[in-house]
Amino acid sequence: MGISARELAAATPATRDRYVDLLRVASLAVVVLGHWLMAAVTEDEQIGNLLAVVPELQLVTWVFQVMPVFFFVGGFSHALAHRSRPAYASFLRARLQRLLRPTMVFVAVWGAAALVLQLAGADGGLTGVVLRLVTQPLWFIGIYLAMVAFTPPLLRLHERWGWGAFAVLAGGAVAVDVLRFAAGVPFVEFLNFAFVWLAVHQLGFLRADGMIRRPALLAGAGLVGAAALVALGPYPLSMVGMPGEKVSNMAPPTLALLCHGLWLVGAVELLRGPGARLVARAGVWRAVVAANGIAMTAFLWHLTAMLGVYGAMLGFGVTLPEPASGAWWAQVPLRMGVAVVLTAGLVAVFRRFEAPPRPAPPTASGGPAAALGITLALLGVLGLSMTGFAGLLTGHSATLIAVPVTAPAAVGLALAGWLLVERAGRRRAGGGS
């Protein structure tokens, strides 16, 4: 049997920054609840976005678009992890195991289900939409893999230049948006997937070394900057992607989203004192430890649960009210409650794949193979987030960095990359495996 959350909580060293763990759990929980709330399924089995139905609600994304907080926390954790395990292959393997194992199980289960449904000709209507949408949250895992891959070189730059390393990445984001919006340079906007998210990640390095000393200034500058860019520039109000929008702040990320990230990071740092006192309570800390142990599994399966709720409602003839109507809002607690129960059931089935594996002895070799492996893995995961599982038998593809990719090819890339990192991370310094 594994170690219980109570035992893990009791064994927590006094030096651990528990507030970081609270932020990790809280940010993922907000993302999950946001996805559940934004999904607006109609009687004709189409899935819309609540923020498009009620545009005034887009302002709440300035508080509840918390993915920058998760990436900020990731930077903090990656800095500490790399310093304790500096060999590149060992570091990658250790960081990827609890990320890619549950992800590949999710991909295998949904891939098999999609194949069966399409062979049976039962992939129309809402089922077809689900097969297309269920993999979309995997973009987050692909970006996170890139952050892990770039941690060693960017951490070295941070240790040498501090805030200067962040400024270079932020300056890159500024340059990209200038070239995109002022000069009309095609395709340059995709560089901001790196510049914006790696800049947010870099803030985690700064926190790890106690270099965020004026969080109020950071939050104020970010909020003012985001507001000015939205008011005066070509940036939309919503900090999440909206259907049909010509410009999205999320895909690709914009300078406005980077400012939003600064505002959120400053805000959570301002709350550090009360947050630390909260998580110091034994019961709260046990809950945080337990939630961290299943967070990735819950994230992977939460859309499956919510879409399952809507599918069951349609299957049993329950009327789906017009999105954002009074009846629709009245149904929200019921839909959320059932989604929580379904997610808990899925977590109970699949949580064992997120359990921490036995650590392998550190190795000084395998760096190039590990670098190739994580590159393949992140390309595969990003590709699958774009293609979905619809059209497996018809060769449906999506364009990933100017190259068409199908779902089977994306799965193959992710699996090959994961296995390559595993093998490289296990190899002993003497060359054995």
Side-chain angles (χ1 to χ4, degrees):
M1 292 180 62
I3 302 174
S4 69
R6 182 180 294 272
E7 292 169 322
L8 283 173
T12 303
T15 55
R16 186 175 184 91
D17 192 331
R18 300 183 182 195
Y19 182 53
V20 167
D21 294 286
L22 176 63
L23 289 178
R24 182 184 297 111
V25 168
S27 58
L28 275 185
V30 170
V31 170
V32 168
L33 292 174
H35 285 170
W36 284 350
L37 189 59
M38 284 193 299
V41 178
T42 58
E43 285 285 341
D44 59 355
E45 301 188 2
Q46 297 300 307
I47 300 180
N49 189 318
L50 178 65
L51 299 179
V53 178
V54 188
E56 295 82 4
L57 289 177
Q58 293 177 23
L59 187 60
V60 304
T61 64
W62 287 50
V63 176
F64 293 109
Q65 164 49 300
V66 293
M67 201 57 86
V69 174
F70 189 88
F71 291 150
F72 162 67
V73 168
F76 176 90
S77 300
H78 295 157
L80 300 186
H82 186 257
R83 285 166 176 168
S84 67
R85 188 178 279 262
Y88 190 63
S90 296
F91 166 74
L92 289 189
R93 180 176 183 268
R95 302 310 291 175
L96 263 59
Q97 281 184 317
R98 290 190 65 184
L99 192 65
L100 280 183
R101 281 202 312 170
T103 299
M104 295 311 295
V105 170
F106 170 83
V107 168
V109 171
W110 262 111
L115 188 59
V116 170
L117 288 168
Q118 289 170 56
L119 286 172
D123 58 336
L126 181 62
T127 301
V129 178
V130 169
L131 293 177
R132 188 178 74 249
L133 294 182
V134 76
T135 64
Q136 282 190 358
L138 294 182
W139 75 265
F140 145 78
I141 294 175
I143 297 296
Y144 200 77
L145 289 173
M147 291 175 174
V148 174
F150 282 105
T151 287
L154 289 180
L155 185 58
R156 286 194 292 271
L157 290 177
H158 156 76
E159 290 168 345
R160 182 170 182 180
W161 300 108
W163 278 98
F166 167 81
V168 169
L169 291 168
V174 172
V176 165
D177 274 15
V178 169
L179 292 173
R180 175 186 182 183
F181 294 118
V185 178
F187 306 116
V188 71
E189 63 267 26
F190 294 103
L191 291 174
N192 265 352
F193 277 111
F195 286 129
V196 169
W197 288 130
L198 289 177
V200 173
H201 189 248
Q202 202 80 7
L203 291 171
F205 297 167
L206 292 161
R207 187 193 191 279
D209 289 338
M211 298 176 69
I212 300 180
R213 300 187 182 96
R214 296 182 179 179
L217 178 61
L218 191 66
L223 189 58
V224 169
L229 288 169
V230 169
L232 304 174
Y235 304 94
L237 175 64
S238 175
M239 291 298 164
V240 301
M242 298 297 299
E245 268 189 334
K246 186 177 180 181
V247 175
S248 166
N249 281 321
M250 274 289 293
T254 64
L255 181 59
L257 186 65
L258 177 56
C259 289
H260 172 68
L262 294 177
W263 134 246
L264 283 182
V265 168
V268 298
E269 283 296 281
L270 284 170
L271 296 172
R272 185 174 180 177
R277 289 191 292 273
L278 174 66
V279 82
R281 299 177 181 177
V284 174
W285 178 236
R286 283 196 300 271
V288 169
V289 170
N292 263 309
I294 61 170
M296 187 52 57
T297 304
F299 176 79
L300 286 166
W301 292 98
H302 77 280
L303 269 189
T304 302
M306 175 50 73
L307 294 171
V309 170
Y310 275 113
M313 292 174 71
L314 287 168
F316 287 108
V318 178
T319 301
L320 295 182
E322 192 68 23
S325 65
W328 187 91
W329 285 109
Q331 274 189 355
V332 166
L334 175 62
R335 291 198 304 269
M336 292 280 194
V338 178
V340 168
V341 172
L342 287 179
T343 302
L346 290 165
V347 166
V349 172
F350 295 109
R351 63 180 297 177
R352 65 183 182 274
F353 298 105
E354 193 176 348
R358 290 185 304 172
T363 173
S365 62
L372 174 61
I374 196 170
T375 301
L376 295 177
L378 72 89
L379 289 175
V381 170
L382 286 175
L384 190 57
S385 75
M386 298 170 65
T387 64
F389 283 116
L392 278 178
L393 301 180
T394 59
H396 169 72
S397 66
T399 301
L400 177 65
I401 316 178
V403 178
V405 61
T406 62
V411 172
L413 284 172
L415 184 59
W418 177 38
L419 294 177
L420 198 54
V421 171
E422 277 284 311
R423 181 171 177 79
R426 284 180 183 159
R427 190 178 298 140
R428 297 183 183 275
S433 58

